[in-house]
Amino acid sequence: MTMTDPSFAFLQDWFAQHCDGDWEHDLGVSIATLDNPGWLLRVRIEDTELEGIEAPWTSSEESEHEWLTWRSTGLAFEAYGGSRDLLRLVAAFQAFATQHGQAVDEGG
């Protein structure tokens, strides 16, 4: 799994489609590290076609270092995962967005 993985390409394309000169300044996508250690992915879905779509916490724990939990508040998609699970977080967003009808044209 690399940064050229289809899930990363999906996230890049989804982000690019929503950049309109305003959205990316106040909303957008953030990736951060956690101190347990792990990753946080937050995708602000306000002012997008995904706004208002809520999903309860969904969790998967394979081991102490391999875990994933995510939800959608209707305003943000939030995912947390283990130190080697960044791709899984991005793939969870892709699955969420795809399930709710968001198709992204690759390459722009």
Side-chain angles (χ1 to χ4, degrees):
M1 294 182 227
T2 67
M3 292 297 278
T4 59
D5 184 276
S7 294
F8 282 109
F10 178 90
L11 181 62
Q12 291 178 129
D13 291 341
W14 188 90
F15 174 76
Q17 282 188 352
H18 293 87
C19 291
D20 64 4
D22 291 318
W23 179 85
E24 65 274 16
H25 292 282
D26 295 324
L27 303 172
V29 176
S30 61
I31 297 173
T33 57
L34 304 173
D35 62 0
N36 58 345
W39 292 100
L40 159 64
L41 170 67
R42 180 171 288 123
V43 181
R44 299 287 298 273
I45 58 175
E46 296 168 61
D47 296 328
T48 76
E49 66 289 333
L50 298 173
E51 182 175 2
I53 299 172
E54 297 180 12
W57 285 110
T58 300
S59 297
S60 168
E61 186 170 343
E62 288 73 35
S63 73
E64 178 182 348
H65 301 288
E66 293 181 56
W67 56 274
L68 167 71
T69 186
W70 68 269
R71 72 174 178 172
S72 173
T73 65
L75 298 176
F77 174 90
E78 302 170 337
Y80 302 84
S83 59
R84 301 195 52 87
D85 291 326
L86 180 58
L87 177 59
R88 290 180 64 204
L89 275 64
V90 174
F93 175 71
Q94 179 182 12
F96 169 77
T98 301
Q99 176 184 355
H100 296 287
Q102 173 57 39
V104 172
D105 295 325
E106 291 185 22

